[in-house]
Amino acid sequence: MGDTKSEDNSTKRMFLRSTSAVPRRSNGSSNFPFSRAKSVQDIQTSNQKRSRSSIFLIEDLVQCGICLDKLSEPRMLPCQHTFCLNCLQAHLMAITGRKIRKNHMPPSKEEIQAAVTETNNEIACPTCQIPVNVGKGIEGLQQLPNNVYIDSLLKLLEETNGSLPQTPTRLTPETRCIKCQTICEFKEERCEHCKQIFCKVCWAEHLLTLKNNLFTLIENIRESEVRLEHRLQDFYERCNKVGVNIQKVTDEMISDIKAKEIDSLNQLENIKQQEEKTANMLKEHLTSTKKEIQLLSFDSIPSDKQKVELFMNFHRAASKMFNEISQMGETRLLFDPKTFKVKQINEFFNRATSGEDGDVVDSGDIGNPLESVETMTSYYLNRLFNPKLVWTKCPRPAGLGIPPWSKNLLYITATDRKVVLIMDRTLFKIVGKLTAPNMLCTQGIAFSEKLLEIYVSDKWKHCIHVFSSEGDYLRSLCGLGSGPGELRSPEGIAINWRNLLIVADVGNDRVVVLDPLDGQHMLTLGLRNKRTELQAPTGVAVYKDRIIVADNGNHRIKVFSDIGEKLFEFGSLGSGKGQFRTAEVVACGPLGFILVGDAGNGRIQVFTPNGDFVRVIGSYGEAPGKFAWISGLLVTPQLEIIATDYKNKRLQIF
């Protein structure tokens, strides 16, 4: 190896002599650095050797110490060593990758690029290992200066490429030592730690360095053990502080809850004592009235008129007491865990403030709303829409319907009761029900005035149940499947003017038109290339020759003709005016106004027959007039709006 270095130094001296501006003289009498005794042939041979050595040395000088190829876009480090710009960038990425490696797993390219961009970077010169701060990002390397000397040599090589003699075959780049840059013919040594190549001499030094680093690593491990112990103790202290805070807050909350508990129990006790006081008073009245009647000598009263009058007085007193007794114990007590208040509800049905005719009293006079679309719009805009009836124990209600043969009845599908409840709207009382052994989850309801039949969709049975107007079970239509005449989780249902059955086939993403007699498939709405543009439609309504569909999955309302042609659509996802978050149900009122049960937003939205927004009714909540999830919607000819709320188990009439 020493011979190789000597030869390399000799070559450098020859290069300096051959490229000097003033030729050196050997004995003061000649301009040529060789003896006069040499022959011309020897002189030519010597010149060729010098030329080849010079070219070899020039190529060695313009060779990158990283890629071992000719320099490209050379950049000079402060230590004067020059490398390719791309090689320095790759070198920086490799160093950063080793720094951020976690759990012996190599980081991704994106993680390395982020680390290079976010921090000030420092690299060690690949030749002399002097650290160099290159700033943030790959761009910091581009700010390094060019090596003017190297640039000149590169230009010289480019200009004389065609006239210089052929350079000898170079050794393979893998045999260049990363430390001393020596090119050797012996087998190199590659370090698996730093992925660099060393000559035999430098390899021994490198192994010694690794050995010394092991002792340094041991010291670092010891320091880390102590640091870990301190950090663990500090973490334990923080945990203890948080635990003390948790106990303190918990004790305060328990104390507060205990105080609220005492207040609630006192409220309950006061209600109980008040009820006992009322009961004792009734007992006294009953006892005294009974004694008066027992002590009364009815026959001793001379006048028949006085007898009748006395009887009526006792009868009125007794009737009043009987009425008060009938109301005793009917008060429902509700405990609100949010406010810790005990509430009393005295009636099953709660009436809102209303006028003499039962309609909600609104301000302003808008005349007859049925005259035109404009007057109907004004009606919806000016009416208060306060609930005049709230049924708070409606069992998971869904679809609603008023039969054409009995306008005072209201049919309500109860999803978890497997029945359809029948309410008398004048008495606000349940008077009957529809049921069948094979019903599972009643959903939508529709009526055929022509056939005097009732149709109920069954979401879990995947069929349509048919009843007579008297409530007798007649048959079922369709069954589970996706073919014609088959259904999958049907919900909304309606009868159009042609006496055809319109069904929202939710599971099959379609709305189908069926024959109500045998369930024969007649038409599929919105069908294009054997697929529909609907996604989980849940509600349908009809007005004259129009079919209105609540396209639940797309948060839109789509209007079709009765032959399946789409006329227009409106709505989008959101909570603004005219937007929906799960358009669950749809209903049509007089003049074709469209009402949409915007279940996700807890409200009803009103639109004109052309889909123009009019107003919002209600909002999300549990109080009367609000909704948690609208599951049924109906508009009566008298412009009453009836809505069911699945989550609140409530029916409201506006």
Side-chain angles (χ1 to χ4, degrees):
M1 181 174 179
D3 296 339
T4 305
K5 288 186 176 180
S6 177
E7 181 182 350
D8 196 23
N9 293 333
S10 176
T11 304
K12 291 181 180 179
R13 288 194 295 271
M14 291 171 62
F15 169 75
L16 293 175
R17 287 198 298 270
S18 64
T19 57
S20 176
V22 181
R24 297 185 58 183
R25 300 177 183 269
S26 61
N27 53 10
S29 62
S30 174
N31 292 333
F32 300 97
F34 49 81
S35 174
R36 293 177 181 272
K38 291 184 178 180
S39 64
V40 176
Q41 183 176 1
D42 292 337
I43 293 173
Q44 291 176 349
T45 303
S46 178
N47 287 337
Q48 290 177 358
K49 288 182 178 180
R50 278 201 302 269
S51 177
R52 284 196 297 270
S53 298
S54 299
I55 296 303
F56 185 84
L57 183 56
I58 291 174
E59 288 193 348
D60 198 33
L61 289 174
V62 298
Q63 187 179 45
C64 176
I66 297 178
C67 67
L68 303 181
D69 203 349
K70 187 169 68 174
L71 287 163
S72 174
E73 295 186 70
R75 292 292 186 273
M76 184 173 63
L77 298 178
C79 59
Q80 305 299 311
H81 291 114
T82 306
F83 306 93
C84 299
L85 176 60
N86 289 336
C87 294
L88 287 174
Q89 293 174 348
H91 185 53
L92 175 60
M93 296 285 284
I95 291 174
T96 306
R98 287 196 293 270
K99 287 181 179 178
I100 66 175
R101 178 180 296 183
K102 298 178 180 178
N103 300 327
H104 305 287
M105 295 297 294
S108 65
K109 183 177 180 181
E110 292 74 13
E111 292 175 336
I112 296 175
Q113 289 176 345
V116 168
T117 303
E118 294 173 358
T119 60
N120 283 321
N121 303 291
E122 185 179 89
I123 63 173
C125 174
T127 300
C128 62
Q129 304 300 313
I130 293 178
V132 179
N133 193 322
V134 295
K136 292 186 179 181
I138 297 295
E139 294 76 8
L141 295 172
Q142 296 177 349
Q143 307 301 322
L144 293 173
N146 294 335
N147 191 324
V148 180
Y149 177 65
I150 295 297
D151 285 341
S152 300
L153 291 179
L154 287 172
K155 291 180 181 179
L156 177 62
L157 285 178
E158 291 178 359
E159 293 173 356
T160 60
N161 187 39
S163 60
L164 290 175
Q166 184 69 29
T167 59
T169 304
R170 303 293 301 274
L171 295 175
T172 57
E174 288 77 14
T175 59
R176 181 181 290 275
C177 176
I178 189 62
K179 187 172 183 181
C180 67
Q181 298 295 301
T182 301
I183 300 177
C184 312
E185 295 185 359
F186 54 80
K187 180 175 177 61
E188 75 283 356
E189 298 290 347
R190 182 185 295 272
C191 178
E192 292 298 326
H193 170 66
C194 56
K195 305 298 182 184
Q196 302 293 351
I197 299 172
F198 298 87
C199 66
K200 288 185 176 179
V201 175
C202 296
W203 175 249
E205 295 178 0
H206 184 65
L207 291 179
L208 183 59
T209 302
L210 294 180
K211 180 181 178 181
N212 294 333
N213 288 341
L214 285 177
F215 293 105
T216 305
L217 185 61
I218 292 174
E219 292 299 323
N220 293 336
I221 291 175
R222 290 173 180 170
E223 293 176 1
S224 297
E225 289 176 344
V226 176
R227 191 182 305 112
L228 176 62
E229 188 66 27
H230 286 306
R231 287 181 175 273
L232 189 60
Q233 292 298 328
D234 183 58
F235 178 74
Y236 286 161
E237 291 179 4
R238 293 200 302 270
C239 289
N240 292 335
K241 290 181 181 179
V242 174
V244 171
N245 190 30
I246 291 174
Q247 292 178 353
K248 180 180 178 181
V249 173
T250 303
D251 292 340
E252 291 176 355
M253 293 178 65
I254 291 175
S255 176
D256 184 52
I257 292 175
K258 284 291 186 181
K260 291 181 178 180
E261 177 190 16
I262 295 173
D263 291 341
S264 299
L265 292 176
N266 289 335
Q267 291 179 32
L268 187 62
E269 185 63 27
N270 291 335
I271 294 173
K272 181 180 177 182
Q273 291 178 0
Q274 185 66 34
E275 199 74 5
E276 286 186 25
K277 182 178 180 180
T278 303
N280 291 332
M281 291 176 61
L282 284 173
K283 288 180 181 178
E284 292 177 1
H285 290 164
L286 288 173
T287 302
S288 62
T289 302
K290 181 176 67 174
K291 288 182 178 180
E292 289 181 12
I293 295 175
Q294 290 176 344
L295 296 175
L296 175 66
S297 177
F298 191 76
D299 295 333
S300 63
I301 299 175
S303 172
D304 293 342
K305 183 178 180 180
Q306 291 178 346
K307 292 180 180 179
V308 172
E309 184 177 351
L310 182 63
F311 173 79
M312 291 178 63
N313 290 335
F314 279 119
H315 189 274
R316 279 195 296 268
S319 298
K320 183 178 180 180
M321 288 186 292
F322 294 159
N323 185 47
E324 291 178 358
I325 292 172
S326 65
Q327 295 180 6
M328 284 291 298
E330 291 295 324
T331 300
R332 291 196 298 123
L333 301 177
L334 295 180
F335 173 67
D336 187 352
K338 295 181 180 179
T339 61
F340 265 77
K341 300 294 183 181
V342 179
K343 299 179 181 180
Q344 299 183 70
I345 300 178
N346 295 320
E347 293 182 343
F348 185 70
F349 292 103
N350 301 310
R351 290 183 177 272
T353 303
S354 59
E356 295 180 357
D357 56 355
D359 292 331
V360 175
V361 178
D362 295 343
S363 60
D365 183 12
I366 60 172
N368 182 12
L370 300 177
E371 289 182 355
S372 63
V373 172
E374 290 74 19
T375 57
M376 183 64 74
T377 301
S378 179
Y379 166 80
Y380 278 116
L381 289 173
N382 288 279
R383 185 175 170 184
L384 296 179
F385 286 105
N386 293 323
K388 64 179 182 181
L389 175 74
V390 180
W391 182 18
T392 56
K393 273 193 173 181
C394 194
R396 299 288 185 189
L400 295 165
I402 296 176
W405 52 80
S406 183
K407 301 294 185 179
N408 63 321
L409 296 181
L410 176 65
Y411 285 68
I412 310 161
T413 60
T415 57
D416 60 353
R417 293 285 184 87
K418 304 179 184 181
V419 298
V420 177
L421 302 177
I422 306 174
M423 174 190 286
D424 189 321
R425 293 169 58 208
T426 59
L427 302 175
F428 299 111
K429 180 180 179 181
I430 301 299
V431 295
K433 62 182 179 180
L434 301 179
T435 186
N438 57 345
M439 291 175 67
L440 290 180
C441 182
T442 57
Q443 197 72 32
I445 188 167
F447 305 92
S448 172
E449 185 175 7
K450 180 179 179 180
L451 300 176
L452 296 179
E453 291 182 339
I454 306 170
Y455 307 93
V456 181
S457 61
D458 194 324
K459 184 176 181 179
W460 294 348
K461 196 67 176 178
H462 312 286
C463 68
I464 307 297
H465 300 291
V466 185
F467 295 84
S468 68
S469 58
E470 289 79 17
D472 298 325
Y473 188 79
L474 301 178
R475 62 189 180 278
S476 67
L477 305 176
C478 306
L480 176 61
S482 57
E486 295 178 324
L487 302 172
R488 191 182 299 275
S489 301
E491 292 192 20
I493 189 172
I495 291 284
N496 70 354
W497 68 282
R498 297 176 182 269
N499 201 52
L500 294 177
L501 197 59
I502 319 297
V503 182
D505 191 4
V506 181
N508 288 321
D509 294 326
R510 65 185 182 182
V511 172
V512 294
V513 181
L514 307 176
D515 188 324
L517 294 175
D518 55 9
Q520 180 181 355
H521 178 267
M522 308 293 291
L523 180 67
T524 298
L525 300 185
L527 189 63
R528 293 182 180 178
N529 298 325
K530 298 183 180 180
R531 297 186 64 182
T532 70
E533 58 183 69
L534 304 175
Q535 183 178 351
T538 52
V540 293
V542 296
Y543 179 74
K544 295 184 178 179
D545 60 347
R546 289 184 174 186
I547 301 174
I548 299 90
V549 178
D551 193 358
N552 191 317
N554 291 319
H555 309 282
R556 298 181 69 80
I557 299 298
K558 298 181 178 179
V559 181
F560 297 86
S561 69
D562 57 0
I563 59 174
E565 178 185 4
K566 187 172 75 171
L567 303 178
F568 61 91
E569 60 182 297
F570 58 90
S572 62
L573 175 61
S575 56
K577 296 178 180 180
Q579 293 183 316
F580 310 108
R581 196 176 300 278
T582 308
E584 184 75 7
V585 290
V586 63
C588 275
L591 302 183
F593 275 68
I594 302 172
L595 281 74
V596 182
D598 187 6
N601 289 320
R603 62 187 182 180
I604 299 171
Q605 295 196 65
V606 183
F607 299 86
T608 66
N610 295 327
D612 297 327
F613 174 79
V614 176
R615 70 166 295 174
V616 170
I617 300 174
S619 61
Y620 186 86
E622 299 180 357
K626 297 186 177 183
F627 308 96
W629 189 270
I630 300 174
S631 52
L633 191 59
L634 177 67
V635 183
T636 68
Q638 295 76 31
L639 300 180
E640 286 182 325
I641 298 177
I642 306 176
T644 55
D645 190 328
Y646 180 85
K647 290 186 177 180
N648 282 334
K649 298 182 181 180
R650 178 188 295 162
L651 180 143
Q652 300 186 82
I653 299 179
F654 297 87

